[in-house]
Amino acid sequence: FFEKIMHTPDAVGTMECRYLCKDGSYKWIEFSGSNLFHDPDIQGLLGNYQDITERKRAQKALQESEEKFRLAFHTSPDSINLNRLEDGVYIDINDGFTKLMGYTRQDVVGKSSLALNIWANPEDRQLLLAGLKEHGIVENLEAEFTDKNGQNKTALMSARILRINDEDLILSITRDITERKQAETEREKLHAQLHQAQKMESIGSLAGGIAHDFNNLLFPIVGLSEMMLDDFPSDSMESQNIRQIFKAGTRGRELVQQILSFSQHSEYKRISIQIQKILKEVLKLCRSTIPADITITRNIQTKCGPVMADPTQIHQIAMNLITNAFHAVEPAGGTITVQLKETDFIHQDNPSVHLASGRYAVLKVTDTGTGINPAVMNKIFDPYFTTKEEGKGTGLGLATVYGIVKAHGGDIRVHSEAGKGSSFHVYLPVLEKTTAVVPENQQQALPTGTEHILLVDDERAIVHLEKQMLERLGYRVTSFTSSVDALAAFRTDPSCFNLIITDMNMPNLNGIQLAKELVAIRPDIPIILCTGFSERINKENAAAKGVKGFLMKPVTQAQMARTIRKVLEGKQTE
């Protein structure tokens, strides 16, 4: 440096050097020198020394800080990126960004987040920019991003504005919380399912209590009207009026059973059933709850073959589809159409239906509502997805229908057009072999007998009615309204009774407890349990205690006559 200045006329230069001080410390000095040898009066160097120790320390600290920043930037497991505040163009990204979003540095540097469509929800970007503009910093903004493969990611984003080289940049640190959010969603679903299960359990308990009381009220209406039909000529006005009373009572009994089956979680048993019979019950129930200004039309093929299914679950399918159709037409009114027919399905002709070729029962529920938005069509069978307003749906109806249909080896398809309504088609395989069905209205002579029956029920009116029924059938009856008194009478002379008919719900000793005491005295005594709420009975446990048959209240004379003969003759009853 000195040689250069000394041998170059008019040369001026600066240099940084470290000096050893007297106390042993070092200082950084900036030396500025000028060549004055051309001046005959001076002939030397002009030097200026400036202490720059603090500046050098600051430079070193800045260099170390920048190195630490670069290290943290590139090794952080979180996604870190630098963007220009002005246009959002990426300046740099780290490996965490690549891991989260799938983009390489070459993919993004020089491009903006908008150009790459990274923001899944544009409102998240607006919130970020508004926060930075107002406060210069944003912390823990939950945002949705779309990665290079089109997958949505949920992340927590913190950002602040940095001034670097006279330019405003955004430093963003983003942490992936997708798995955590999914876990939270699953917990929320489980909580909702638990809440739904508890609600259904409460509804079931309430329905059971209502059913017991309601069936006790219906029992005299059904039983007395049935017996009175035998007391008047079939063509008389009295007989016609009584028949209407009997039909109304029977419909009330069916309505209670429908409520119970809809509100209870019971074991599902598949049997050969005819869907048209279930639809008849469902339509009765729906017609009583859907306003009269909404038309319900039906086109049900009476000869549609049976399917192997659980009746309660088929009931659920029909109820859910018709309820959905009602909600679709409710705002402006309209028409709901329920169709059932048996058809030959050929897979090659309709490959979108995931079924093998064969015979199927096809249930169609069509409405004239607003239709389904094509954007959500692929979500309608997802659990908890609903487009209904709050309080009108849980998002479980169609998911339940889908699960039941698939479990029964069928399929469900949806046809919808905006403004023209929707149509749901349920396919269920028809059984190959069918058995002849005895018409419901076919009159058959009732079986009778002369045995001695011990009758027990805590409702005096029901005991009076059942005693009349039994005596008309030829039986000798001893009746009690107290289970304790009945047990005492049986204990006095166990051999004089041929059969016990007892109510389930009674004070002191209920039906099961009474049966246990009776069998302990006489193991071979047959017992029929009469109840208005079957779900409260464990039939296997009841059979172990001597119960051989069951009667559901309100009991008709025909049901009682046939059940008594089956039990006395040792035949299996349901």
Side-chain angles (χ1 to χ4, degrees):
F1 172 77
F2 285 103
E3 289 289 329
K4 181 180 179 181
I5 292 180
M6 289 176 64
H7 294 90
T8 305
D10 298 324
V12 177
T14 61
M15 66 172 292
E16 294 178 356
C17 56
R18 197 166 63 153
Y19 276 74
L20 178 62
C21 300
K22 185 178 180 180
D23 60 4
S25 63
Y26 286 91
K27 287 188 176 181
W28 279 95
I29 301 296
E30 183 181 73
F31 174 76
S32 299
S34 300
N35 185 344
L36 301 179
F37 282 97
H38 63 281
D39 189 334
D41 295 329
I42 299 177
Q43 292 290 305
L45 292 174
L46 177 63
N48 178 48
Y49 294 84
Q50 182 180 356
D51 186 353
I52 60 169
T53 304
E54 291 303 321
R55 189 178 77 188
K56 293 295 288 184
R57 287 175 180 169
Q59 287 176 346
K60 184 179 180 182
L62 178 60
Q63 184 179 9
E64 291 176 350
S65 177
E66 290 175 348
E67 184 62 31
K68 289 179 181 178
F69 174 79
R70 278 192 293 270
L71 183 64
F73 185 93
H74 289 290
T75 61
S76 172
D78 292 329
S79 167
I80 305 178
N81 52 278
L82 275 172
N83 298 67
R84 285 204 299 259
L85 177 62
E86 180 184 3
D87 53 14
V89 168
Y90 285 94
I91 304 300
D92 200 3
I93 64 170
N94 72 339
D95 291 342
F97 185 97
T98 297
K99 182 179 179 182
L100 173 64
M101 303 301 297
Y103 291 100
T104 65
R105 192 173 186 279
Q106 290 74 19
D107 290 332
V108 301
V109 172
K111 299 178 182 177
S112 71
S113 58
L114 288 177
L116 293 169
N117 292 320
I118 281 177
W119 296 94
N121 184 358
E123 292 181 359
D124 294 338
R125 178 176 178 271
Q126 297 302 322
L127 287 173
L128 174 69
L129 294 177
L132 289 173
K133 182 178 180 180
E134 184 175 357
H135 305 291
I137 186 171
V138 171
E139 294 182 328
N140 296 326
L141 171 67
E142 186 174 307
E144 295 288 330
F145 299 97
T146 303
D147 67 13
K148 188 176 182 179
N149 297 319
Q151 299 296 316
N152 279 4
K153 301 287 184 70
T154 305
L156 279 181
M157 186 179 192
S158 296
R160 68 184 310 146
I161 297 176
L162 297 179
R163 186 74 176 174
I164 301 176
N165 296 330
D166 295 327
E167 186 177 20
D168 287 332
L169 302 179
I170 303 174
L171 173 66
S172 302
I173 301 176
T174 308
R175 176 164 294 178
D176 187 4
I177 60 169
T178 305
E179 292 185 359
R180 190 180 84 188
K181 289 296 292 183
Q182 289 174 345
E184 289 175 357
T185 301
E186 288 301 318
R187 283 196 297 269
E188 290 173 359
K189 285 184 179 180
L190 289 173
H191 177 74
Q193 289 172 348
L194 176 61
H195 177 71
Q196 181 72 7
Q198 291 172 338
K199 183 170 70 174
M200 292 304 294
E201 183 178 356
S202 299
I203 293 173
S205 299
L206 176 63
I210 293 173
H212 177 265
D213 294 339
F214 194 49
N215 280 332
N216 280 342
L217 294 174
L218 285 172
F219 201 162
I221 297 173
V222 174
L224 288 172
S225 59
E226 183 186 29
M227 288 191 296
M228 289 175 68
L229 287 173
D230 295 334
D231 298 336
F232 293 92
S234 59
D235 57 349
S236 67
M237 180 62 69
E238 291 84 357
S239 178
Q240 294 177 22
N241 291 337
I242 294 169
R243 188 171 299 280
Q244 292 303 314
I245 297 172
F246 177 72
K247 285 183 178 180
T250 302
R251 185 179 176 187
R253 178 184 64 184
E254 293 172 351
L255 187 62
V256 172
Q257 293 306 312
Q258 290 166 9
I259 294 172
L260 284 174
S261 66
F262 189 67
S263 64
Q264 294 298 313
H265 291 287
S266 57
E267 292 183 5
Y268 298 123
K269 296 180 179 179
R270 296 184 187 180
I271 58 175
S272 174
I273 61 170
Q274 291 182 303
I275 298 178
Q276 52 268 43
K277 290 185 178 180
I278 295 177
L279 287 179
K280 182 179 178 182
E281 297 175 358
V282 171
L283 287 167
K284 282 183 181 179
L285 181 60
C286 290
R287 186 67 280 179
S288 65
T289 57
I290 294 176
D293 61 337
I294 294 175
T295 303
I296 301 178
T297 63
R298 63 192 74 187
N299 182 10
I300 298 174
Q301 186 183 81
T302 57
K303 295 182 179 180
C304 180
V307 299
M308 183 64 70
D310 179 86
T312 300
Q313 290 189 313
I314 300 302
H315 187 281
Q316 281 184 281
I317 290 174
M319 278 294 300
N320 281 329
L321 292 180
I322 294 174
T323 300
N324 270 10
F326 163 57
H327 288 153
V329 301
E330 183 181 13
T335 301
I336 300 171
T337 303
V338 180
Q339 296 174 287
L340 176 70
K341 68 175 182 178
E342 183 178 336
T343 186
D344 281 312
F345 176 78
I346 301 175
H347 178 75
Q348 291 82 353
D349 295 343
N350 196 351
S352 64
V353 181
H354 305 297
L355 294 172
S357 298
R359 298 287 292 175
Y360 288 87
V362 183
L363 169 64
K364 295 182 182 180
V365 179
T366 306
D367 65 73
T368 58
T370 56
I372 302 171
N373 187 339
V376 301
M377 182 66 80
N378 62 340
K379 298 181 180 179
I380 61 174
F381 294 115
D382 292 349
Y384 302 104
F385 176 81
T386 180
T387 58
K388 299 171 186 174
E389 61 186 77
E390 187 174 353
K392 285 254 178 125
T394 62
L396 292 173
L398 288 180
T400 299
V401 170
Y402 182 86
I404 293 173
V405 171
K406 288 296 186 180
H408 283 76
D411 197 17
I412 180 170
R413 306 304 296 171
V414 186
H415 305 278
S416 184
E417 188 175 346
K420 295 186 178 180
S422 305
S423 182
F424 287 81
H425 299 192
V426 173
Y427 295 78
L428 293 171
V430 172
L431 289 175
E432 293 183 3
K433 296 181 180 179
T434 61
T435 55
V437 179
V438 177
E440 293 181 2
N441 59 354
Q442 180 173 320
Q443 297 294 325
Q444 295 180 344
L446 298 181
T448 59
T450 58
E451 288 86 352
H452 189 186
I453 297 175
L454 176 61
L455 176 65
V456 191
D457 195 301
D458 62 320
E459 293 283 343
R460 189 173 300 277
I462 291 178
V463 167
H464 176 71
L465 172 59
E466 289 181 330
K467 190 170 186 293
Q468 286 189 67
M469 285 183 175
L470 294 170
E471 288 176 342
R472 286 197 177 203
L473 293 171
Y475 296 104
R476 189 159 54 98
V477 182
T478 300
S479 59
F480 291 93
T481 56
S482 165
S483 55
V484 175
D485 292 345
L487 177 60
F490 184 81
R491 185 176 282 117
T492 300
D493 189 3
S495 62
C496 76
F497 298 105
N498 303 107
L499 176 70
I500 311 293
I501 299 178
T502 177
D503 184 31
M504 174 61 192
N505 294 297
M506 298 182 294
N508 298 317
L509 290 174
N510 64 32
I512 294 294
Q513 293 168 334
L514 176 61
K516 182 179 179 182
E517 296 291 336
L518 296 173
V519 170
I521 298 170
R522 181 180 155 190
D524 66 331
I525 185 68
I527 300 171
I528 295 176
L529 194 62
C530 192
T531 179
F533 186 23
S534 63
E535 289 296 328
R536 299 179 65 181
I537 300 173
N538 183 323
K539 292 188 177 182
E540 293 181 359
N541 185 41
K545 291 179 171 59
V547 176
K548 304 298 183 183
F550 295 89
L551 285 170
M552 286 296 298
K553 292 182 179 180
V555 183
T556 65
Q557 189 176 32
Q559 291 170 332
M560 181 172 284
R562 296 189 181 100
T563 301
I564 289 173
R565 291 323 308 170
K566 285 182 179 180
V567 170
L568 288 175
E569 294 167 10
K571 297 179 180 178
Q572 186 68 32
T573 65
E574 293 295 330

